[in-house]
């Protein structure tokens, strides 16, 4: 199958907290499945709508892992699965990170 993605993806499986930018929202434990230059694939227990803004706080501290440097950053949901994935019972969301993930990802 021909890959049409603009940037390569890198697996990471780092735990994070995801906070929807809505009134009275609470942090949700989540996980970064993979990342690219300007986005993340998140796994979380609640679905969110496309266009919704979130804050992501990656908790891992692995040396050399580019996503640990994003800290508490803002992203926008580009898409979300319509039902939980069978293997994890969690929803998958494509997140566009405003300002990108890391300038060093492609290095």
């Amino acid at each position: 199958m021909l890959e049409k993605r603009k940037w390569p993806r890198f697996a990471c499986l780092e735990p994070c907290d995801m906070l929807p930018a809505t009134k009275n929202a609470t942090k949700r434990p989540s996980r970064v499945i993979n990342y690219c230059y300007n986005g993340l694939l998140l796994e979380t227990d609640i679905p969110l709508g496309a266009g919704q803004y979130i804050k992501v706080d990656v908790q891992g501290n692995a040396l050399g892992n580019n996503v640990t440097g994003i800290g508490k950053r803002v992203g926008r949901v580009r898409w979300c699965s319509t039902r939980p994935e069978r293997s994890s019972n969690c929803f998958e969301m494509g997140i566009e990170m405003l300002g990108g993930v890391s300038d060093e990802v492609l290095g």
Side-chain angles (χ1 to χ4, degrees):
M1 186 161 126
L2 181 61
E3 180 64 55
K4 294 183 180 182
R5 296 180 186 270
K6 188 174 182 178
W7 305 105
R9 298 325 193 239
F10 302 94
C12 73
L13 302 177
E14 288 288 338
C16 68
D17 284 327
M18 184 269 301
L19 178 65
T22 58
K23 194 174 187 176
N24 299 324
T26 59
K27 284 184 187 178
R28 309 300 299 194
S30 303
R31 184 165 67 157
V32 178
I33 302 299
N34 65 43
Y35 65 97
C36 69
Y37 177 74
N38 68 339
L40 309 171
L41 174 61
L42 282 187
E43 182 180 72
T44 188
D45 64 346
I46 61 169
L48 296 176
Q52 192 168 352
Y53 289 92
I54 64 168
K55 290 183 182 177
V56 178
D57 183 11
V58 177
Q59 299 168 352
N61 57 5
L63 293 175
N65 189 337
N66 291 314
V67 295
T68 60
I70 72 169
K72 297 177 182 176
R73 299 264 307 277
V74 175
R76 180 176 45 218
V77 177
R78 298 288 295 187
W79 60 269
C80 183
S81 59
T82 57
R83 60 181 180 268
E85 299 297 318
R86 289 184 195 178
S87 59
S88 66
N89 204 31
C90 289
F91 295 89
E92 289 186 348
M93 286 189 287
I95 307 297
E96 176 184 20
M97 296 304 293
L98 305 180
V101 173
S102 172
D103 292 335
E104 300 172 11
V105 153
L106 302 176

